[in-house]
Amino acid sequence: RTPTTMATKATSHESSIDQQVDASCTVSLPIVYGSIAHWLGKQANEHHTHKWSLYLHPAASPTDMSLDSVIEKVSFHLHPSFPRPVRELSSSPYQVTEMGWGEFEASIKIYWLNSSKS
């Protein structure tokens, strides 16, 4: 299964994370999250037609900045047919890459450091 069925398709969203540091300070950090899939072409078989990734990173260049200082972990929820359908990453890069054949819905949950807010 893949999060998209197009030969090469990228889906991304920009968002702004507002995290209250203390009673008088809120930090806003733009992020990008989404998915991308590539058709495997002649390397494809019945169960692996696409290589895909789900990701979350800063809107600025992912190599210029790390989200590790504000994120405890990121949880990626995949289709239940995958081994380990819930993937938790506690450091960047926050990305899951797999191979599959079909389309499914996935979700990403962010756990903030020192906060119960997500």
Side-chain angles (χ1 to χ4, degrees), residues 49-87:
T49 60
H50 292 75
K51 182 176 181 179
W52 57 264
S53 294
L54 297 173
Y55 58 86
L56 173 121
H57 62 74
S61 172
T63 57
D64 290 345
M65 162 184 252
S66 173
L67 295 173
D68 293 348
S69 61
V70 294
I71 291 178
E72 177 184 340
K73 66 182 176 180
V74 175
S75 180
F76 293 88
H77 297 259
L78 311 177
H79 190 273
S81 64
F82 280 98
R84 297 180 325 127
V86 177
R87 312 282 175 94

Side-chain angles (χ1 to χ4, degrees), residues 18-39:
D18 291 329
Q19 182 69 25
Q20 188 165 354
V21 176
D22 61 33
S24 63
C25 180
T26 299
V27 175
S28 181
L29 176 64
I31 61 167
V32 176
Y33 62 94
S35 65
I36 187 166
H38 300 281
W39 182 56

